[in-house]
Amino acid sequence: MAPKKENLLLLGATGYIGTDILEQVIKAKESFGRIAILTSPSTAQNKADVLAKLKNQGVEVIIGDTSNSSDLLNAFNDIDTVISAAGRPIIAQQIDWINIAIQAPSVKRFFPSEYGTDIEYDASSANEVPHQQKLKVRAALREQEKEGKGLEYTFVVTGPFAYGYLAAGKGSLGSFDVKEKKAVVLGDGKGKISLTTDPDVGKLVVAALLHPEAARNRALRVNSFTTTPLEIVEEFEKQTGGGKWGVEFIALERARELEKKAYEEGNPYAVVFTLRRIWGEGGTLYERRDNGIIGAEEGLDDLTDAVKVAIAAQTGA
């Protein structure tokens, strides 16, 4: 008898990275049982066309409130694995979701919303402002494991999203402006950075789902490719006609000053300053990546692919 296929529930599936995760899950739907999402009444109204398309693709759409325990318990019924793509403002709410998942007899695995910068890269990570809520979620999952409550977990750590990193941005802490043919980079531009494209985030989550033993109760540090800011500039030059781009260099010390000022002024983008500084300091790099243990060394995007998408996004081509 063939083993039972996992039933999946995605939370935050119509949001930024949740959309990409769900898209790749659908592409691999033959490997899974039920594929369901829990979405709010407002999303059901505002994104009716999106949800109708998902239903046509075989996705079960459950309407409910993620802050309502009864709605969550109902959504968790007969679900094996919960995949969260909660946005930063509600990261801490996942602790409630975890506690409710523990009460649901069928739920065996939980993927919290990580998909970004490693929040436990080194000792300094514990003090970084953007990491605090995710650290609490990790602590909650580890505590229930210690208490023998039986909910397995996987932290899918992808490093920065390539499309966001390659965007024009505001220039102060790194950007690649196609129309102006100008880049702003941190440091000397030679420091390596690990990036993952949005679609590859979804592919890597699917790979982790399909390799439960390798992914059990650990962080998977995965990516699409590793490069440097100057290599990125060279690829933009190649794909925009071969002319040289202007490059402005921002010293890391200056980046730290701008970061400090952003917090002092209550700038809502202060966390972005922190993340950019972490990336510039090399906080995305490892001796080896974990792609291989989940069968994801092949079929991912490279720098050429990512820059092509970035140019299209900026030019509308």
Side-chain angles (χ1 to χ4, degrees):
M1 181 181 294
K4 174 182 176 291
K5 294 181 179 180
E6 273 192 299
N7 293 333
L8 310 179
L9 175 73
L10 284 77
L11 305 173
T14 61
Y16 173 55
I17 206 62
T19 300
D20 294 281
I21 294 172
L22 179 56
E23 181 178 350
Q24 297 303 322
V25 167
I26 292 170
K27 288 182 178 179
K29 63 182 178 182
E30 296 305 317
S31 298
F32 304 112
R34 290 171 57 206
I35 299 173
I37 68 171
L38 176 62
T39 194
S40 68
S42 61
T43 298
Q45 181 177 359
N46 297 332
K47 296 185 178 181
D49 291 346
V50 172
L51 297 182
K53 180 180 178 181
L54 291 175
K55 289 178 182 178
N56 288 336
Q57 293 174 300
V59 176
E60 179 182 347
V61 177
I62 303 170
I63 308 301
D65 184 349
T66 56
S67 64
N68 183 298
S69 59
S70 295
D71 286 355
L72 278 171
L73 272 174
N74 175 65
F76 289 168
N77 184 48
D78 197 36
I79 293 297
D80 300 294
T81 299
V82 176
I83 304 159
S84 170
R88 188 172 291 277
I90 61 168
I91 286 293
Q93 193 178 121
Q94 293 177 109
I95 296 173
D96 293 331
W97 303 351
I98 290 163
N99 291 331
I100 294 168
I102 291 169
Q103 300 172 37
S106 64
V107 177
K108 298 297 184 289
R109 287 205 287 172
F110 191 94
F111 282 53
S113 187
E114 292 262 345
Y115 325 121
T117 305
D118 190 351
I119 62 172
E120 293 180 321
Y121 183 80
D122 58 23
S124 68
S125 301
N127 301 315
E128 300 288 9
V129 174
H131 298 349
Q132 298 310 305
Q133 301 309 310
K134 287 186 178 182
L135 286 169
K136 291 177 183 178
V137 173
R138 285 197 183 191
L141 283 164
R142 287 169 175 153
E143 182 61 26
Q144 65 80 35
E145 178 192 10
K146 182 179 178 181
E147 294 173 355
K149 294 182 178 178
L151 185 64
E152 298 175 6
Y153 56 85
T154 301
F155 310 135
V156 181
V157 179
T158 65
F161 299 150
Y163 297 163
Y165 184 80
L166 299 178
K170 295 183 178 180
S172 61
L173 284 180
S175 66
F176 300 88
D177 192 317
V178 173
K179 294 180 181 178
E180 297 292 331
K181 291 193 173 183
K182 178 181 178 182
V184 179
V185 303
L186 295 188
D188 61 6
K190 298 177 183 179
K192 291 185 177 181
I193 182 169
S194 169
L195 299 171
T196 303
T197 65
D198 298 10
D200 282 353
V201 172
K203 291 178 184 178
L204 290 161
V205 170
V206 169
L209 287 167
L210 296 177
H211 292 79
E213 293 298 325
R216 177 177 289 118
N217 295 351
R218 61 166 296 169
L220 292 173
R221 297 178 175 91
V222 292
N223 73 345
S224 295
F225 58 89
T226 299
T227 186
T228 71
L230 289 183
E231 288 172 346
I232 293 171
V233 171
E234 289 178 5
E235 186 60 34
F236 270 107
E237 290 173 342
K238 186 187 305 181
Q239 293 194 35
T240 55
K244 297 295 291 183
W245 277 34
V247 181
E248 177 185 352
F249 297 91
I250 304 291
L252 283 170
E253 184 57 40
R254 176 57 177 161
R256 296 184 192 101
E257 293 172 359
L258 292 170
E259 175 188 3
K260 182 175 182 290
K261 181 180 179 182
Y263 282 108
E264 290 173 347
E265 295 178 347
N267 187 326
Y269 295 102
V271 295
V272 178
F273 283 60
T274 299
L275 293 172
R276 289 267 177 176
R277 185 257 304 159
I278 290 171
W279 305 339
E281 291 174 339
T284 69
L285 305 175
Y286 308 94
E287 291 184 8
R288 65 173 183 82
R289 64 181 188 176
D290 293 324
N291 293 46
I293 67 174
I294 55 172
E297 285 288 0
E298 305 295 332
L300 299 178
D301 293 322
D302 60 18
L303 176 59
T304 300
D305 300 320
V307 167
K308 182 178 180 180
V309 172
I311 292 171
Q314 292 188 43
T315 62

